[in-house]
C-alpha cells in the first residue's frame, strides 16, 4: 500500500498536476484529490490506477524496510541509455521549455 504523502510527492517529482494524473489514470479529479488527502475508502481500484500511472511515469514506491534509514518513500527510475536527455551542446531556444 502507498500513502497519500507518497502520491503527492510522486506527482510533484514528475511535475504532474492533479488534473493530469486524473486524466492519465482515468479517474475523476475529485477521486485523485481524495486519495492525496488519505481517503482510500470507497474505490479500491482507484489507488491501484493511480499507482500504476505514476509507476508508468518513472516513479518507484519504496516501502519502509527497504532502505537503511527512514520509512516509505519514492524515487525516480534510473534512465535507460536511450534516454540521455538533451546534451548541453544541443541546447537552444527551440528546445527550451
Amino acid at each position: 500500500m502507498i500513502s497519500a504523502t507518497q502520491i503527492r510527492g510522486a506527482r510533484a517529482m514528475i511535475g504532474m498536476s492533479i488534473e493530469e494524473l486524473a486524466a492519465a489514470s482515468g479517474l475523476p479529479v475529485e477521486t485523485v484529490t481524495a486519495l492525496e488527502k488519505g481517503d482510500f475508502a470507497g474505490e479500491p481500484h482507484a489507488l491501484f490506477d493511480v499507482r500504476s500511472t505514476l509507476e508508468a511515469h518513472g516513479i518507484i514506491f519504496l516501502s519502509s524496510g527497504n532502505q537503511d534509514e527512514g520509512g516509505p518513500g519514492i524515487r525516480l527510475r534510473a534512465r535507460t541509455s536511450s534516454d540521455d536527455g538533451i546534451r548541453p551542446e544541443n541546447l537552444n531556444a527551440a528546445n527550451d521549455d
Side-chain angles (χ1 to χ4, degrees):
M1 178 125 141
I2 60 174
S3 69
T5 303
Q6 285 176 297
I7 296 170
R8 289 190 309 272
R11 188 174 56 75
M13 186 177 278
I14 59 175
M16 184 179 269
S17 70
I18 288 179
E19 293 79 11
E20 291 169 329
L21 179 55
S25 61
L27 297 168
V29 172
E30 297 77 19
T31 300
V32 176
T33 301
L35 291 174
E36 287 196 357
K37 291 180 179 177
D39 183 10
F40 298 115
E43 298 185 52
H45 75 279
L47 189 60
F48 175 80
D49 292 343
V50 165
R51 181 180 183 142
S52 297
T53 300
L54 292 169
E55 287 175 338
H57 282 84
I59 295 295
I60 298 172
F61 290 94
L62 306 171
S63 61
S64 59
N66 62 351
Q67 295 295 319
D68 290 339
E69 303 233 357
I74 55 172
R75 65 174 291 175
L76 286 174
R77 185 179 315 118
R79 289 183 178 198
T80 62
S81 60
S82 64
D83 183 16
D84 292 333
I86 301 173
R87 299 199 43 82
E89 62 268 16
N90 296 330
L91 291 174
N92 58 47
N95 57 31
D96 186 22
D97 47 355

